[in-house]
Amino acid sequence: MPCEIVWLPSASRDVFRLRNFIKSENPRSAQRAAKRIMEGVNLLQESPEAGVPVEDLVDYRDLILAFGAGEYVIRYRQEKLNRVVIVRVRHSKEEAY
């Protein structure tokens, strides 16, 4: 059974911010970036343990998605067997959360 995906407002704002940052220079790349992030989130529906555990944060994981010269990092937690909460999304060239 696929997991329910819940986006925290902070994660939604992150995707919006990342997409707008790229969009000003390259609208097609912005679309591809948003699509890549959504593909990662869709993966979590079927495989919630796909990410790597976050050191010093119990129950948190980072899903790392290659994109261009860097990666997108989706931080999430699995609250129940059938629910994943997307906490933050950032580019690897940004400072950590």
Side-chain angles (χ1 to χ4, degrees):
M1 176 178 191
C3 289
E4 172 190 13
I5 301 293
V6 176
W7 287 77
L8 292 184
S10 56
S12 296
R13 285 189 303 269
D14 288 338
V15 174
F16 183 77
R17 175 184 52 78
L18 290 164
R19 188 166 186 246
N20 281 340
F21 178 78
I22 298 170
K23 189 176 181 180
S24 64
E25 295 293 322
N26 188 334
R28 290 192 73 198
S29 185
Q31 280 185 319
R32 288 193 329 270
K35 181 180 177 185
R36 182 70 175 121
I37 292 166
M38 294 311 297
E39 288 170 350
V41 170
N42 289 338
L43 170 69
L44 294 176
Q45 279 188 304
E46 299 298 327
S47 302
E49 294 187 5
V52 296
V54 176
E55 189 175 320
D56 298 328
L57 287 177
V58 178
D59 297 329
Y60 284 80
R61 300 176 86 80
D62 283 343
L63 181 65
I64 299 167
L65 307 169
F67 187 80
E71 296 129 353
Y72 285 107
V73 180
I74 299 173
R75 177 151 300 165
Y76 67 97
R77 68 179 182 262
Q78 187 175 2
E79 289 190 334
K80 300 177 185 175
L81 290 177
N82 62 347
R83 182 177 171 159
V84 170
V85 177
I86 308 299
V87 177
R88 297 298 305 260
V89 180
R90 70 174 178 88
H91 191 273
S92 61
K93 293 183 179 181
E94 294 181 292
E95 288 190 34
Y97 310 104

